[in-house]
Amino acid sequence: MTHNNTSATVPTGSIVAPQQRIVQIALTQARPVVERVIETTRMSLQARLDSARTPGEHHAMQEARQQLVRLASVMAERYPDALRKALDEDTAQGDDKPTRSLFTVNFDDLELMDEAQINDSVERARARQVLVTAVEGPLADLDALVCAAQGLPRVQPEHNPLRPDVFLQALQSVVSQMQVTPQVRHDWMGLMAQALGTELRSLYLTQIDQLKQSGVKPVGYAMRQATGEVVYVAPAEAGVSPGFAADNDLYVASTSAGDPLLTLDRLRRLLLGEFNDAAAPAETHAPANDSQESFADRFAREFEDPAQGLPHIDPPATDFAMTVPAAFEALQEMNQVGQMMERLGTPRPPAAPAADGHPTAVQRAQVQGLGQALSMEVVALMVDNIARDTRLLWPVQQFIRALEPALMQLALSDPRFFSHKEHAARRLLQDITDRSQAFNSPEAPGFQSFMRSLMHIAGPLATATIESADDFEQVLQQLHAKWAEKDQALKQERQRAIEALQHAEQRHLLAAQISRELWLLPSMAKVPDAISRFLLGPWAQVMAEARLSAKPGTTDPGRYQELVDALIWSVQPELTRANTGQLARLLPKLLPKLREGLASIDYPADRTEAVFELLMQLHQQAFTPGPRVAAPAPAAPVTAAPMATPAAEPAQPAPLDDDDPWVAPSEARESGYIDISQSPESEGADSAPEATPSNAAPLQLPASTITVGTWVNLQVAGQWERTQLSWIGSHGNLFLFTSASGRTQSMTLRLLDRLLQQGALQVLAEQTVVDNALNAVAQTAMQNSVESRH
């Protein structure tokens, strides 16, 4: 793929070699690099041994140093192969690289991990933090250059084969093979990571110079803004990249000084229910008095203008709290872990903390034990991460914040609710956030109706006394019932589209099988190429359609198989000249049968007119004395895959390709099928969208990784439309997207890949909003563990 990008001026083909060269250089230098790392680590251990203050510390440093000296040659010998294996695995994964790093932990995996695995994860993350800090600046510049060498239009750090994670993974793999105690490995890894950082920094600077000398110029780089948004900018004039991209888009809350409350081990124990604190619900809150407006009415009054049709509302400023009921005012400023305890009070504006900044005695009294405090913190972080997710429109973000008091109450009585995907509260959050992604702006058709359903059905949870998951289950069922009313008509339309595509897929798979059988016929080589392509393509579809529609046991439905033999004979003048009478009797039946078959699949007439003209010329030759005249080329190509992108005809006709289904015009109308031959062609950077049409930065993913339920922005007739992948064919070659209004768009895998490359189809996210938020909680716990003094 060629990208038209002003900051990468060297042709892709001429700069792949430099990238391969720097990888080879890294492998060549692997042993001397790790030998220097080991020697630096030995010297650091010796220094710690010399300054040890206690017998225990002295013994630990001495043991770590002795074991390192004993195993140094073994590790140096094994490291190059470990690095080569890590690089090969990274290359083999290609675009299908897993989004989760080996140095992070997913929230839902914690319950499956034991204490040793938790410790290993923290150790890996701590080593990685040391390493990344050491190479941060040069790595940013190398990322920009390597991505340019790969022809990428922007920096994608995961595509840099020389990422520090790869080197560290290889080093940790070698260290794990050594027969030493966990304490010795722990004493090694921190120092080794620091030494490896120094070596990689030098390696990166050298490779940067070599790439620049090869004519590679860096592409733009990712910068994370204070709001958490990622923007891409060009490098500075001096050639230095202006920022260093984080590994993912998860928001990780900052922690207060001292040891944090939430660590990875404590989070795991919380999910396993190891904290047996008395589950005492927080003090309940009296509902608003009768004279106060209901939440739904108050919010709707601010969100909608009854005198206007669609509202014209800018995203809320910090005074948005002034427009919602008192129960929501305390939610507006609660964004940091240090304020967690302030969230546990009554639904009033948060009271000022004590002079020392700690929670008041009243606030402390509402939480009993470490388990409840951890539950509160996890809920607070989860809600905050959901409300920060840029995929959600601002009214939905505020609504999720409004549910925090109810979730806090639930956490005290049911602290593990967030760890069970099927828990009513978690499903409620997931369904609200997922359904809200159908709308790309507050002015989008149907969004007001969606918000009204939330206000009237789920809104009362904000000021309710929560006793159990049943409160959320009832709301969830009511919302589903409300949504089902609107979904029913859309479901019927979507089902018709799916049935049309399923039939097209079944017909095409059968047609591909028939096409291969026809291709093996000896007589197929005796006919003109245009006739062969017709039989292997459109006519195979006709025969497949007849077989799908026929009663079981029918041998040749429509007698279309019989027509193949007659057609092949009729286009060989050297044979028909010997029996013109038989040809004269055949023709009145042959041509009408051909048109009948093509009509059965609604095949466009203009695609076969050239074939019929050629047939007439070949048939006329039978009645003309003399040697056979070479058949002229048809006016328009008839390919075996008629809906594919027009291309130069192959030297020899080939059977149908299973991977490129053909959809009949009637099926195309039913499913909103986009013909690949009519899709917009890439015209370089100038034709790309000026700005992302969604409220979230799109992801660049291979089509094969997109799953049902994924929300995307699709450019249709020059307009952006928010739509959801609702069906994938059984063979992964057909895709159906459905918008909130019920509009369907279908396409082949080939077109989906093309649209992704052109930027005309943009994936909003791989993970769901709730999963992403909980993974951010785990990431915060991991970061706290890494920075903890214990």
Side-chain angles (χ1 to χ4, degrees), residues 203-216:
L203 175 66
Y204 288 168
L205 290 172
T206 301
Q207 302 309 320
I208 287 170
D209 289 341
Q210 292 187 3
L211 284 171
K212 288 182 177 179
Q213 291 174 9
S214 299
V216 181

Side-chain angles (χ1 to χ4, degrees), residues 539-773:
W539 199 251
Q541 299 279 357
V542 170
M543 294 172 62
E545 179 69 27
R547 293 185 188 182
L548 288 177
S549 306
K551 296 179 180 179
T554 306
T555 56
D556 184 15
R559 301 180 67 181
Y560 296 134
Q561 174 70 52
E562 178 183 330
L563 182 139
V564 172
D565 298 330
L567 180 61
I568 290 176
W569 176 82
S570 74
V571 296
Q572 300 180 66
E574 64 273 17
L575 297 180
T576 55
R577 284 195 187 102
N579 198 339
T580 55
Q582 181 179 347
L583 179 61
R585 290 190 298 271
L586 174 64
L587 291 181
K589 301 177 182 179
L590 180 65
L591 297 181
K593 195 66 174 178
L594 287 172
R595 296 189 184 277
E596 172 194 305
L598 294 170
S600 70
I601 62 170
D602 195 21
Y603 200 80
D606 59 346
R607 291 179 179 266
T608 54
E609 284 306 317
V611 173
F612 280 92
E613 292 178 8
L614 178 58
L615 285 176
M616 292 178 61
Q617 295 177 34
L618 293 171
H619 293 158
Q620 288 173 359
Q621 290 184 30
F623 301 98
T624 303
R628 177 182 178 184
V629 179
V638 179
T639 60
M643 300 298 281
T645 304
E649 291 198 22
Q652 295 293 332
L656 281 176
D657 184 357
D658 289 347
D659 296 333
D660 194 18
W662 176 73
V663 177
S666 58
E667 296 160 342
R669 289 190 295 271
E670 192 70 58
S671 63
Y673 182 78
I674 303 176
D675 188 339
I676 192 170
S677 63
Q678 299 174 358
S679 65
E681 293 291 335
S682 177
E683 299 177 0
D686 293 339
S687 64
E690 294 183 0
T692 302
S694 81
N695 43 304
L699 299 180
Q700 294 296 327
L701 299 174
S704 58
T705 65
I706 301 177
T707 58
V708 171
T710 301
W711 288 99
V712 304
N713 290 315
L714 176 62
Q715 194 176 36
V716 181
Q719 299 295 322
W720 288 102
E721 182 174 347
R722 178 68 56 81
T723 186
Q724 184 181 39
L725 180 58
S726 52
W727 176 83
I728 301 177
S730 58
H731 285 71
N733 297 325
L734 284 173
F735 297 78
L736 179 71
F737 295 86
T738 309
S739 69
S741 63
R743 174 183 169 91
T744 58
Q745 300 284 351
S746 62
M747 63 189 71
T748 62
L749 176 61
R750 180 181 300 183
L751 177 57
L752 180 58
D753 271 324
R754 176 190 290 185
L755 295 177
L756 283 167
Q757 292 172 6
Q758 295 175 354
L761 188 146
Q762 300 176 340
V763 180
L764 292 189
E766 284 186 277
Q767 291 183 321
T768 66
V769 172
V770 174
D771 286 346
N772 207 54

